Amino acid sequence: MNSQTVLPGSTIGIIGGGQLGQMLAMSAKEMGYRVNVLDPNKYCPAASVANHFIQCAYDDVSGLTELAKKSNLLTYEFENVSASALKDIPISYSLPQGTDLLEITQDRVKEKQFLAQLKLPIASFSVIDTLEDLLDAIEVIGYPCVLKTTRGGYDGKGQVVIKSFADVEMAKGLLIQKCVLEEWLTFDKELSVIVAGNPQGEYVTFPCAENLHHQNILHQTIVPARVCQSVSSQASNLALEVAKKLHLTGVLAIEMFVVGQKVYINELAPRPHNSGHYSIEACDVSQFDLHIKGICGLPLASPNLLSSVVMVNVLGQHLEDSLELMLHHPTWHFHYYGKEQPQFGRKMGHITILSEDITYVLTALKKTTIWN
């Protein structure tokens, strides 16, 4: 054991109490750690599994300081926490992931520039401050293209696809802040790879996952991805390259596009990811397990896929009907997050289905008509 190792019996402080924080906490507690959670919502999913809960905003330095004092190390469940507030904590504390990765991934300009500096395959892009910048960039990048705010966007929020000059008027509304204009890639598949690292320099990847989206929100994840070995290897190698350059600790999800036989990196997420939920049942170690092991400096085992799998998201509009499925599908794995109010488009849970016959599973899900 060395100074970078934090053993069970210690306390992990999680910034963010949504479903990712909840599943991180459950994994940590199974390993024997205590868990503190900080979140603005006292009814957040992770509050019910925390040893100690702090209700405050993510940028509340006094609340973050209390969390740090009561914990042996800190982590975060999503990238929209305040890096500057973490730097302002007045006491010495441990954040194994650091703030550099957080600052890169919560700012699309920094993220694109980081990937470009590494000469990794990404869509062409331009930084946009004004309408004149936008019009000039469109001349170079061409139609279609997509304008994204540099901060705060997720699940399709904070972005507008520009297919012709007529769409520029709608896109202007985003220019109240700095934006990025990206080339629109006509892709064949959307993939993600989750990679884990620890302070000792070990890196492992989960199997390449294929993702299907509805209205910019993840709908289904299929593992293994239905791509050739060359594409799958490209995706895994890109993930490992990014992880090593970042000296990654914990898990990082990398979203990618497949165009022909080439893989492009789209976005980075420095935490467990919706597309990795399948790993709870389908792998011998989950993304949440490896995140906890990574930040605690424990050895990392390469995940083994035990079965082909489909994961489907349960949004607010699916919740009631999905509960009925529990009566008819005892081999399906239902996860509900315990959120207060179901809302249209809000992630309320997910269902994981293990089967070597992916076509059969996709057909069975379609027959329910819940997600049609």
Side-chain angles (χ1 to χ4, degrees):
M1 188 177 77
N2 59 44
S3 60
Q4 296 171 314
T5 303
V6 178
L7 292 176
S10 303
T11 300
I12 299 172
I14 301 175
I15 305 166
Q19 64 266 23
L20 297 178
Q22 180 190 58
M23 288 183 273
L24 278 172
M26 292 167 69
S27 177
K29 296 188 84 169
E30 283 184 353
M31 294 184 206
Y33 293 94
R34 294 175 59 82
V35 174
N36 298 331
V37 172
L38 180 150
D39 194 272
N41 178 10
K42 66 179 179 180
Y43 300 112
C44 66
S48 64
V49 294
N51 294 97
H52 179 70
F53 178 74
I54 299 170
Q55 184 182 9
C56 71
Y58 299 125
D59 60 356
D60 185 322
V61 175
S62 64
L64 291 168
T65 301
E66 180 187 351
L67 183 69
K69 286 179 177 178
K70 293 180 180 295
S71 307
N72 295 98
L73 77 165
L74 301 184
T75 187
Y76 45 82
E77 71 145 2
F78 72 148
E79 57 271 30
N80 290 327
V81 303
S82 172
S84 61
L86 287 169
K87 291 179 178 179
D88 288 340
I89 294 176
I91 63 169
S92 176
Y93 69 99
S94 175
L95 180 69
Q97 294 153 280
T99 55
D100 288 348
L101 175 58
L102 190 59
E103 290 178 320
I104 290 170
T105 54
Q106 64 188 198
D107 185 308
R108 282 193 171 100
V109 172
K110 291 181 179 179
E111 184 175 282
K112 294 293 181 188
Q113 291 172 342
F114 165 76
L115 295 170
Q117 287 168 3
L118 296 181
K119 297 183 171 20
L120 296 176
I122 58 173
S124 300
F125 73 96
S126 183
V127 180
I128 307 297
D129 287 304
T130 66
L131 178 59
E132 184 178 3
D133 291 341
L134 176 60
L135 296 175
D136 289 345
I138 290 174
E139 285 291 317
V140 176
I141 291 175
Y143 298 110
C145 50
V146 56
L147 186 69
K148 300 179 180 179
T149 56
T150 57
R151 289 182 167 276
Y154 65 95
D155 287 347
K157 299 178 178 67
Q159 60 182 264
V160 173
V161 178
I162 304 174
K163 297 178 181 177
S164 68
F165 183 76
D167 295 324
V168 171
E169 188 65 32
M170 182 170 54
K172 282 166 58 177
L174 298 183
L175 295 178
I176 57 174
Q177 65 168 285
K178 186 186 291 288
C179 292
V180 172
L181 186 74
E182 296 178 15
E183 170 191 11
W184 180 268
L185 295 176
T186 303
F187 55 84
D188 300 303
K189 298 274 187 184
E190 292 183 78
L191 305 179
S192 61
V193 175
I194 292 169
V195 56
N198 66 14
Q200 292 83 358
E202 295 180 319
Y203 303 101
V204 297
T205 59
F206 281 87
C208 184
E210 176 184 348
N211 299 319
L212 306 175
H213 289 77
H214 285 175
Q215 297 180 330
N216 294 310
I217 300 174
L218 182 65
H219 167 49
Q220 290 177 343
T221 294
I222 300 166
V223 183
R226 296 170 295 179
V227 295
C228 68
Q229 184 58 49
S230 171
V231 166
S232 180
S233 295
Q234 278 186 68
S236 295
N237 289 337
L238 285 172
L240 285 170
E241 187 172 352
V242 171
K244 291 173 183 177
K245 293 293 184 182
L246 290 167
H247 303 289
L248 177 69
T249 295
V251 299
L252 171 73
I254 306 180
E255 298 178 38
M256 307 176 187
F257 294 136
V258 180
V259 180
Q261 294 297 301
K262 186 170 181 180
V263 179
Y264 292 82
I265 296 177
N266 179 33
E267 292 183 348
L268 311 179
R271 36 81 180 171
H273 194 260
N274 194 173
S275 67
H277 292 350
Y278 74 89
S279 61
I280 296 172
E281 284 89 19
C283 295
D284 57 354
V285 62
S286 77
Q287 64 168 340
F288 304 101
D289 297 335
L290 285 192
H291 183 80
I292 298 301
K293 289 185 175 185
I295 63 173
C296 291
L298 298 173
L300 304 180
S302 292
N304 291 309
L305 187 66
L306 305 176
S307 169
S308 298
V309 59
V310 176
M311 187 281 299
V312 59
N313 268 334
V314 176
L315 306 183
Q317 63 269 32
H318 311 136
L319 180 60
E320 188 173 342
D321 287 337
S322 76
L323 291 169
E324 185 72 19
L325 292 178
M326 295 184 78
L327 304 176
H328 308 288
H329 297 282
T331 61
W332 293 10
H333 300 270
F334 294 80
H335 296 255
Y336 293 102
Y337 307 143
K339 294 182 179 179
E340 294 177 90
Q341 295 294 330
Q343 297 174 8
F344 189 93
R346 189 183 192 193
K347 294 170 184 171
M348 304 299 294
H350 69 271
I351 303 169
T352 303
I353 307 169
L354 307 179
S355 175
E356 296 305 323
D357 190 342
I358 294 300
T359 301
Y360 172 80
V361 173
L362 295 176
T363 300
L365 287 169
K366 189 171 183 179
K367 283 182 178 178
T368 70
T369 71
I370 293 172
W371 292 273
N372 296 354

